[in-house]
Amino acid sequence: MNNFTHHEGALVLFSGGQDSTTCLAWALSRYQRVETIGFDYGQRHAIELSMRPDLLAGMRTLSPQWQERLGEDHMIDLSLISQLSSTAMTEDIAIEMQENGLPNTFVPGRNLMFMTVAATLAYRRGLTVLVGGMCETDFSGYPDCRDDTMKALQVALNLGMATRLKLETPLMWINKAQTWLLAEQLGGSALVETIRADTHTCYLGERGQLHPWGHGCGSCPACTLRARGYEQYRNGEFSINPAA
């Protein structure tokens, strides 16, 4: 685990999934004060929200440092999002591609709103870093997960609030196999097992059977990425070694 620590405080966008849990571990290894924020936007897979408290409690047990650094959790009602758009993430409809080339799991404006609300809370809480699990290596082409979007948003937020917030996206340039590896580097096999057994990624909200890679339907895009990444991780199939 990297013991180099920044004295700044960080707010992690924490959904209860694999990526956000890895990002939380990443922040806990770097910042002396870490808080979390989650959003209820009417998502189909809301099971991840019910799992968040136990998952946060479990993260505290993995390291005395993490226990000391992990602070308050904030749950925000953003049900407005589900009222504004009809997507496979908020309604019981089949997952498919749209005419614009994006899957209908894309929720327009979601990450933009998430980051704006998180920045507002960070302002009030005196936190100077926002950490999100956005990635444009293994992703579905969502435009609000791209590095250019996050850089532009950081500029806009700081101009609009006269702040110097940093938006950190530690997973931006790594794939799912490397994300599993990063978790191992940050918290050892205990963190890998916590992510495997206690996080939730499945778009359909399936919990049920515990597969080698975790819980889920096994067929939706999120499960497919997670399962393939775990297999590559277990087989040592990654091209770079992401720094922890």
Side-chain angles (χ1 to χ4, degrees):
M1 182 183 297
N2 191 328
N3 290 319
F4 178 71
T5 307
H6 297 285
H7 292 276
E8 302 155 295
L11 180 63
V12 179
L13 278 68
F14 181 69
S15 67
Q18 174 186 2
D19 291 346
S20 67
T21 303
T22 304
C23 286
L24 177 56
W26 183 89
L28 288 168
S29 73
R30 282 163 172 73
Y31 300 105
Q32 289 192 336
R33 176 184 168 209
V34 178
E35 298 186 12
T36 50
I37 183 170
F39 303 98
D40 183 351
Y41 62 94
Q43 56 267 57
R44 283 172 68 178
H45 56 295
I47 186 171
E48 66 184 13
L49 299 182
S50 65
M51 297 173 59
R52 288 175 77 261
D54 287 343
L55 185 52
L56 286 170
M59 291 291 286
R60 294 178 187 277
T61 68
L62 297 181
S63 162
Q65 277 189 336
W66 293 4
Q67 165 70 28
E68 181 180 345
R69 293 174 181 174
L70 184 52
E72 189 170 342
D73 179 45
H74 311 269
M75 178 57 64
I76 307 298
D77 181 356
L78 282 183
S79 52
L80 171 66
I81 291 178
S82 63
Q83 299 172 32
L84 293 173
S85 60
S86 174
T87 73
M89 296 290 278
T90 56
E91 296 184 13
D92 187 12
I93 57 179
I95 297 174
E96 58 186 12
M97 294 300 295
Q98 304 175 106
E99 292 183 2
N100 62 2
L102 293 173
N104 64 352
T105 52
F106 173 60
V107 183
R110 181 182 61 173
N111 283 343
L112 304 181
M113 193 176 294
F114 283 2
M115 277 296 187
T116 301
V117 172
T120 305
L121 178 66
Y123 185 100
R124 179 169 64 84
R125 301 288 296 173
L127 303 167
T128 57
V129 181
L130 302 180
V131 182
M134 296 77 181
C135 165
E136 63 170 271
T137 303
D138 270 351
F139 78 137
S140 298
Y142 298 166
D144 60 356
C145 287
R146 295 172 184 158
D147 188 56
D148 284 349
T149 302
M150 290 298 108
K151 284 185 168 63
L153 190 56
Q154 176 176 274
V155 172
L157 289 171
N158 283 319
L159 286 174
M161 298 195 300
T163 53
R164 295 189 64 83
L165 282 171
K166 291 189 296 183
L167 271 62
E168 295 279 14
T169 53
L171 310 184
M172 182 60 72
W173 305 115
I174 65 176
N175 60 31
K176 278 291 183 287
Q178 294 158 346
T179 300
W180 284 106
L181 176 61
L182 179 57
E184 180 187 323
Q185 293 174 331
L186 291 166
S189 59
L191 177 59
V192 171
E193 179 58 21
T194 293
I195 291 173
R196 189 185 79 88
D198 298 335
T199 65
H200 187 86
T201 305
C202 177
Y203 283 164
L204 302 184
E206 282 287 333
R207 198 68 190 153
Q209 178 185 355
L210 177 60
H211 304 280
W213 45 269
H215 295 277
C217 70
S219 59
C220 74
C223 284
T224 300
L225 273 177
R226 178 166 170 157
R228 184 175 67 212
Y230 185 77
E231 182 179 3
Q232 291 171 341
Y233 157 69
R234 296 297 295 175
N235 292 335
E237 299 174 13
F238 26 75
S239 58
I240 63 171
N241 183 24

